[in-house]
Amino acid sequence: MKKIYSIFLLFSVVFLTACYDDKGNYDYKDINEIKISFDGEGFLSKTFGEVLELKPTFNIDLSQNPDRYTYLWKLNDETREGWDQPTFKWKIDEVVQHGNISLEVTDKQTGVVYMERVTLEVVGVYENRCSWMILSDVGGKSQLSYFNTLEYDENADTIIASRLILDVYGIANNGAELGSGPIALQEHFREKIEWSENIVGNICVFQESGAVDLSGVSFEKEIDMVEAFDGGVYPKEGIVLHPGTFMDWVDVVTDQEGQLYSRLKVTSTVYNSDYFLHTPLCCEGESEPLRNCTVIHGYYRSNRTGYNFIYDGENKRLLYVTNGGTNRDSELLGAGRISKLPACGENDDINAIIPLDNMKGYELLKATMFGFGYPNYGVALLLKEEATDKIFLERVKFKGSGGNPTIVEICKDEVMGLPGIPTVSTMPLSGPEYMFFAVGKDVYYMDFNNTQNPVVLYKSFNANIVAMNAESATYYGAHMAVGLENGEFYVLFIYGAKNLSEEEKVLYPKNGMAYPEEERMGRIVDIQYKQLDHWNY
């Protein structure tokens, strides 16, 4: 047995040695594994009409044997004529959501196919992120303009390329005029039909000549808002619509007297379905229509809140309107349900705050919603004490959804150090650390981490500031647009405001404060960040 085992072992060694020696008899040098890369690009965000050019990098030089390899580029697994070259070049002619560009390299000698891909998003001309819409008055006529960032260096926080398009409404509507007497802009959304659908909000332009609703993709006019009222007419002559809240199921707008009108929609996936009622709204349990109301311009999303807030200027109190709520026991069937809020939360010291159900003695200067979920969700009220002219900021944090807000905490702070009454103010949406105020030509900020300190001068301009709007993107909130009464438009960097040098603050125009004369746009009235997705209202 041992003899047989020894012979077998000897045979195995000889066989393995022969195989090892024989390995060098085969030519493996033509079998090369090809690795493809795109200069570190994993995600491409482009705009309709741009030229996309990709030059792949390989781990070996394929050009030394050009007849051996073929190339095939695909967009979402579909190719086109001419997409068979080593370099990919395409003048983008379609909007792409959740897409990818792939390259397949085939080694004809071995038949092996090598593939790599990059994720691609192509947005419409007016769908770029970090963009603002600007409403201005040019000789009494309304003009809508659009600013967007084409290329941004996130490491240096610098706008590399941008574009300002004046009169986008005229461009999109064959030279038609928008209207006259501009008042304000409001972006609003419908619900998605499919979870993967990308919703670009419509743009409602409020003006004395009549509000109009525009496509947020093209800025083409969709309807005159009077058509959204029952019978295609306003409840009475002379009504001028002002902003409200566009929720999924209930929309509310105001008129110049601060009265409220609502519509209950049968579908939440269509813009401007159904009609606004002619009967102005009352607060629940009251019979007199509300007057002098302001719907707080905010960041509504029904599946997180189910309500939006209203300041009742007639009675100096804070109310809320529910999404889908109706006064079904009254004659106002289909009207949005408006309810009262208590004076404060159960843990608040009522002597240390301004009660929400009775703000008598104070003038509301500005109200805005902030945050996108507890504990960073609430309403900021900028109030002037009428007896002393002192300015106070009251931040009200809420929790609760389904139309049932609960006050968590109210923080009241005096805004100290302002040289006058602020005419404009704004704050970022996501976890705001600062609030910004405009007094004359100057912008100041209040640091929420040091509310006992006076405000700090942030930036001075060469004309009075008439509009400011902080970026409302939920993930960053690092930019703020500023509009002047002389038609100049600026983009400021505001993230970590107290630590920034003067050189870091102005991102647009690129040459700092030397404003291009051809880019002035009359007297700026309102600026709104173009949100692009279904996060607000």
Side-chain angles (χ1 to χ4, degrees), residues 189-190 246-251 263-268 270-274:
F189 296 87
R190 62 173 176 84
F246 293 82
M247 297 186 284
D248 294 321
W249 294 101
V250 170
D251 295 342
R263 65 176 168 190
L264 177 66
K265 296 179 281 189
V266 297
T267 176
S268 59
V270 177
Y271 288 116
N272 296 306
S273 64
D274 299 280

Side-chain angles (χ1 to χ4, degrees), residues 434-500:
Y434 305 96
M435 189 167 191
F436 294 84
F437 313 92
V439 180
K441 301 177 182 180
D442 302 321
V443 177
Y444 300 82
Y445 70 82
M446 179 181 188
D447 184 352
F448 289 161
N449 294 314
N450 298 281
T451 56
Q452 302 306 308
N453 294 342
V455 299
V456 177
L457 177 65
Y458 191 67
K459 195 67 189 176
S460 296
F461 294 89
N462 58 6
N464 286 336
I465 300 162
V466 291
M468 292 195 309
N469 183 245
E471 179 182 41
S472 56
T474 57
Y475 54 87
Y476 203 18
H479 308 96
M480 180 173 74
V482 177
L484 309 184
E485 65 179 358
N486 65 359
E488 295 181 1
F489 171 83
Y490 295 87
V491 177
L492 306 185
F493 190 72
I494 58 173
Y495 186 77
K498 63 184 178 184
N499 300 316
L500 298 178

Side-chain angles (χ1 to χ4, degrees), residues 212-361:
V212 296
D213 205 42
L214 315 179
S215 161
V217 175
S218 65
F219 287 118
E220 290 179 295
K221 179 179 174 180
E222 293 199 347
I223 65 166
D224 290 301
M225 286 302 291
V226 67
E227 300 173 42
F229 277 77
D230 193 12
V233 294
Y234 287 133
K236 55 186 177 182
E237 290 186 10
I239 277 187
V240 177
L241 292 187
H242 287 244
T245 178
F246 293 82
M247 297 186 284
D248 294 321
W249 294 101
V250 170
D251 295 342
V252 176
V253 291
T254 59
D255 64 14
Q256 71 272 32
E257 296 177 353
Q259 290 197 309
L260 305 165
Y261 301 90
S262 75
R263 65 176 168 190
L264 177 66
K265 296 179 281 189
V266 297
T267 176
S268 59
T269 58
V270 177
Y271 288 116
N272 296 306
S273 64
D274 299 280
Y275 299 100
F276 286 91
L277 302 179
H278 282 193
T279 306
L281 297 178
C282 305
C283 185
E284 197 170 27
E286 299 176 359
S287 58
E288 287 296 315
L290 292 163
R291 303 179 67 88
N292 196 20
C293 289
T294 301
V295 181
I296 296 177
H297 210 141
Y299 307 99
Y300 173 81
R301 195 181 191 192
S302 66
N303 65 356
R304 289 184 179 266
T305 59
Y307 47 84
N308 206 354
F309 296 98
I310 296 171
Y311 176 71
D312 174 7
E314 191 85 358
N315 299 291
K316 302 270 188 172
R317 59 183 177 174
L318 197 63
L319 310 173
Y320 67 96
V321 57
T322 56
N323 180 42
T326 58
N327 295 311
R328 296 192 180 278
D329 297 330
S330 73
E331 295 179 358
L332 303 181
L333 182 64
R337 188 181 71 232
I338 297 179
S339 305
K340 305 172 187 176
L341 282 166
C344 58
E346 59 182 20
N347 296 319
D348 290 316
D349 179 359
I350 196 163
N351 297 311
I353 55 98
I354 303 169
L356 301 183
D357 64 344
N358 184 5
M359 302 183 202
K360 288 182 172 58

Side-chain angles (χ1 to χ4, degrees), residues 245 294-301 305 307-312 317-321 339 341-344 348 353-357 359 364-383 392-400 405-413 425-432 434-435 448:
T245 178
T294 301
V295 181
I296 296 177
H297 210 141
Y299 307 99
Y300 173 81
R301 195 181 191 192
T305 59
Y307 47 84
N308 206 354
F309 296 98
I310 296 171
Y311 176 71
D312 174 7
R317 59 183 177 174
L318 197 63
L319 310 173
Y320 67 96
V321 57
S339 305
L341 282 166
C344 58
D348 290 316
I353 55 98
I354 303 169
L356 301 183
D357 64 344
M359 302 183 202
L364 180 70
L365 302 177
K366 174 73 174 183
T368 183
M369 292 171 68
F370 62 86
F372 56 93
Y374 176 75
N376 294 315
Y377 179 78
V379 172
L381 305 169
L382 190 65
L383 299 151
F392 293 92
L393 177 63
E394 187 158 273
R395 287 171 288 162
V396 188
K397 291 186 178 181
F398 291 93
K399 68 177 180 179
T406 300
I407 300 170
V408 176
E409 179 186 22
I410 298 179
C411 301
K412 174 191 171 188
D413 297 290
S425 62
T426 189
M427 64 195 302
L429 163 63
S430 178
Y434 305 96
M435 189 167 191
F448 289 161

Side-chain angles (χ1 to χ4, degrees), residues 176-225:
E177 293 184 353
L178 177 57
S180 60
I183 297 171
L185 297 170
Q186 187 164 21
E187 186 177 20
H188 62 102
F189 296 87
R190 62 173 176 84
E191 281 196 312
K192 296 181 179 182
I193 298 174
E194 299 176 354
W195 71 270
S196 60
E197 185 180 14
N198 183 48
I199 303 296
V200 178
N202 266 23
I203 313 301
C204 195
V205 182
F206 295 90
Q207 49 190 355
E208 292 177 4
S209 62
V212 296
D213 205 42
L214 315 179
S215 161
V217 175
S218 65
F219 287 118
E220 290 179 295
K221 179 179 174 180
E222 293 199 347
I223 65 166
D224 290 301
M225 286 302 291

